[in-house]
Amino acid sequence: MVFSSAVFLFYFLPGFLLLYYLLPWKNTTLLIGSLLFYAWGEPRFVPLLLLSAFLNYSVGYLIARAGPRRKALLVTGVVLNLAMLGYYKYLGFFAGILNGLGLREGALPAIVLPLGISFFTFQGISYLIDVYRRDITAQSSFLRFAMYKAMFPQLIAGPIVRYSQIAGEVDHRSLSNARIWMGLRLFVLGLAQKVLIANNVALAADRIFAVDPSRLDAASAWMGVACYSIQILFDFAGYSSMAIGIGHMLGFTYPPNFNRPYSATSITDFWRRWHISLSSWFRDYLYIPLGGNRASPLRTYFNLALVFFLCGLWHGAAWTFVIWGLWHGALLVLERLGGAKLLARLPASLAQAWTLLCVMIGWVFFRAENVPYALKYLGSMAGIHGDPALLHPWRLDVQASSLTALVVGIVLACWRMRAPAVRMPAVLVHGGHLAWTTALSLLCIASLAAGTYNPFIYFRF
């Protein structure tokens, strides 16, 4: 059950919110509703989700009350979390590597990847580390902790909500009509990003990436990666906005996750704006403990490379994701070696164009099924392709609706100028909010009713 589905929009969400607002047992209602939401698509993995919650609750409880054994308990908890993630997400990948090296033979039985396991595993690790550091007090109630772990708005697509960010609201939270209205507006805005922009360009991107790269001319290859760049931004950002909006409707303040990343003027700036909850997680729980940029330059470069190698691997168990992570790590190292100063001297538009070029090259690896395909695709982007008579023109795959969504998405994602602040009467502000929220809602409903393409790209994460 995804946020942009009719089942969620017209049945689950209204029914759940009605019960949530009427019943006095908010945490219990949210826990049961979240487990039902997860069970809709992954019923066999509900026990795994609850096991993860019990594991982190129990270890966190013990860490908070232990003496000299606190560090050993932390290590045990982190290892158990990583073991769970490693079994479901990476066992087949590493077994394939060993097979290729001749160190083992035979294929492993197929292992189904549980939805959201990367997100709720990182939640658990951050909770244990924060309890160990005494940044937070361990939660004493398993019900409240399980509610935090299972909260459906951010369970399968982020943002990664740390316990410390909502600790006060787990026990006590307040709701007001103004906050619910703000949450609804954010949800509709995110839904429009997903349905009206991401879904439309996704159809064109999937069709182009389904073609043999040797049959793509440069224009077609660039059109494909442009569509995918807009798709992944508005899909991720749209889901984050929907999650944050639902959080407000429930009384929770989730952290921001995107801040116009394609307006960045360097890769460093890009990672301050893209998937903020993930990049800040790696910064706080891996990069800084490794020494960050406080050690020697060589150690700093190693830290960056390691963090982004793991960041790529976090996204998926495939060499394409690893190369994508290492690509970004290498670009960050180059910026520390002097590239950042060079970019700072350029006009902002040129620095932004360079950053976008680097990001789009990385997206080719992120989207491709395998490394050979990605390399051929990059060759087509550079004008290296096969027989001109066999080339596949992009116009066969990009419909008018996709092209319109692409243009709108590019303008919204890349436009650097901000509208001037104008003070308006409150009645006009509220009226404007009501008008655009209603209009976007109707457009989204019409699009979904028409049965438009509605992919869910988080199965691999």
Side-chain angles (χ1 to χ4, degrees):
M1 183 169 19
V2 297
F3 293 167
S4 55
S5 67
V7 171
F8 180 82
L9 292 171
F10 301 119
Y11 298 99
F12 179 84
L13 185 61
F16 169 78
L17 289 177
L18 179 64
L19 293 174
Y20 185 80
Y21 294 144
L22 290 179
L23 297 176
W25 313 288
K26 304 297 185 193
N27 288 339
T28 303
T29 304
L30 180 52
L31 173 60
I32 295 173
S34 297
L35 293 178
L36 289 174
F37 173 85
Y38 194 72
W40 184 268
E42 297 281 17
R44 61 183 145 173
F45 290 125
V46 171
L48 178 70
L49 175 61
L50 290 174
L51 174 63
S52 174
F54 181 74
L55 163 68
N56 289 287
Y57 166 78
S58 302
V59 176
Y61 186 89
L62 293 173
I63 290 173
R65 288 155 179 78
R69 297 172 53 243
R70 295 178 74 251
K71 189 169 185 178
L73 287 167
L74 171 65
V75 172
T76 300
V78 171
V79 168
L80 289 174
N81 274 287
L82 293 178
M84 186 185 303
L85 181 63
Y87 172 78
Y88 283 102
K89 192 167 185 176
Y90 302 109
L91 186 60
F93 176 63
F94 288 113
I97 294 175
L98 293 177
N99 284 343
L101 295 174
L103 299 177
R104 70 178 302 276
E105 295 181 358
L108 291 173
I111 300 174
V112 179
L113 181 66
L115 274 176
I117 189 169
S118 297
F119 292 98
F120 64 72
T121 299
F122 269 33
Q123 273 187 328
I125 292 173
S126 66
Y127 172 77
L128 296 181
I129 294 175
D130 286 348
V131 170
Y132 174 79
R133 293 173 175 173
R134 294 190 171 92
D135 292 337
I136 58 173
T137 302
Q139 175 56 251
S140 59
S141 165
F142 175 69
L143 186 147
R144 288 195 290 268
F145 185 79
M147 180 273 295
Y148 154 71
K149 285 281 288 183
M151 279 193 297
F152 74 87
Q154 47 81 64
L155 178 59
I156 61 174
I160 301 173
V161 180
R162 305 181 200 179
Y163 182 82
S164 60
Q165 293 168 325
I166 59 168
E169 294 169 336
V170 168
D171 297 321
H172 305 286
R173 51 190 178 274
S174 60
L175 282 168
S176 64
N177 291 336
R179 187 172 191 185
I180 294 172
W181 173 232
M182 178 179 66
L184 179 61
R185 296 200 313 268
L186 277 173
F187 178 83
V188 170
L189 180 62
L191 183 65
Q193 290 178 306
K194 163 65 176 167
V195 172
L196 302 181
I197 298 179
N199 285 357
N200 277 293
V201 294
L203 181 61
D206 287 353
R207 286 177 172 175
I208 292 175
F209 272 89
V211 176
D212 186 332
S214 63
R215 295 185 57 208
L216 296 175
D217 60 11
S220 298
W222 279 101
M223 177 61 73
V225 74
C227 287
Y228 183 67
S229 298
I230 295 301
Q231 176 199 356
I232 196 168
L233 169 63
F234 284 94
D235 204 302
F236 272 137
Y239 258 96
S240 292
S241 293
M242 286 188 275
I244 294 169
I246 297 173
H248 280 299
M249 287 189 272
L250 302 180
F252 291 97
T253 305
Y254 295 163
N257 213 25
F258 289 85
N259 180 21
R260 301 176 64 244
Y262 289 169
S263 67
T265 54
S266 68
I267 295 298
T268 303
D269 188 25
F270 174 80
W271 279 101
R272 294 190 186 108
R273 299 168 176 268
W274 177 272
H275 210 330
I276 300 169
S277 64
L278 177 65
S279 57
S280 63
W281 194 100
F282 274 106
R283 179 197 65 205
D284 295 342
Y285 298 107
L286 185 59
Y287 181 67
I288 291 177
L290 285 173
N293 55 7
R294 302 186 306 274
S296 66
L298 188 61
R299 179 56 187 266
T300 298
Y301 306 149
F302 170 79
N303 292 343
L304 283 171
L306 177 61
V307 165
F308 277 88
F309 164 77
L310 294 174
C311 180
L313 200 59
W314 180 88
H315 281 88
W319 286 113
T320 49
F321 290 113
V322 171
I323 293 173
W324 172 80
L326 291 175
W327 168 250
H328 277 270
L331 291 170
L332 289 169
V333 170
L334 287 175
E335 289 188 1
R336 286 189 172 271
L337 288 170
K341 293 180 180 179
L342 178 61
L343 288 171
R345 296 192 190 102
L346 295 176
S349 57
L350 287 180
Q352 180 186 10
W354 165 257
T355 303
L356 265 176
L357 173 64
C358 294
V359 169
M360 291 172 74
I361 290 172
W363 286 145
V364 173
F365 287 98
F366 199 90
R367 175 60 179 78
E369 290 297 323
N370 52 61
V371 175
Y373 182 99
L375 295 175
K376 289 180 182 178
Y377 196 98
L378 290 173
S380 295
M381 290 170 63
I384 304 170
H385 45 70
D387 186 350
L390 299 177
L391 293 182
H392 182 89
W394 62 266
R395 292 175 184 83
L396 294 177
D397 302 313
V398 184
Q399 302 172 349
S401 58
S402 298
L403 192 59
T404 301
L406 177 63
V407 172
V408 172
I410 289 173
V411 171
L412 293 176
C414 301
W415 189 254
R416 293 184 54 81
M417 294 181 63
R418 295 184 179 273
V422 178
R423 296 184 64 85
M424 299 177 63
V427 65
L428 293 180
V429 173
H430 295 314
H433 287 165
L434 179 61
W436 70 253
T437 301
T438 304
L440 289 179
S441 298
L442 293 175
L443 287 172
C444 291
I445 292 171
S447 180
L448 292 171
T452 53
Y453 194 50
N454 190 23
F456 184 71
I457 64 176
Y458 305 97
F459 287 116
R460 300 176 73 187
F461 310 146

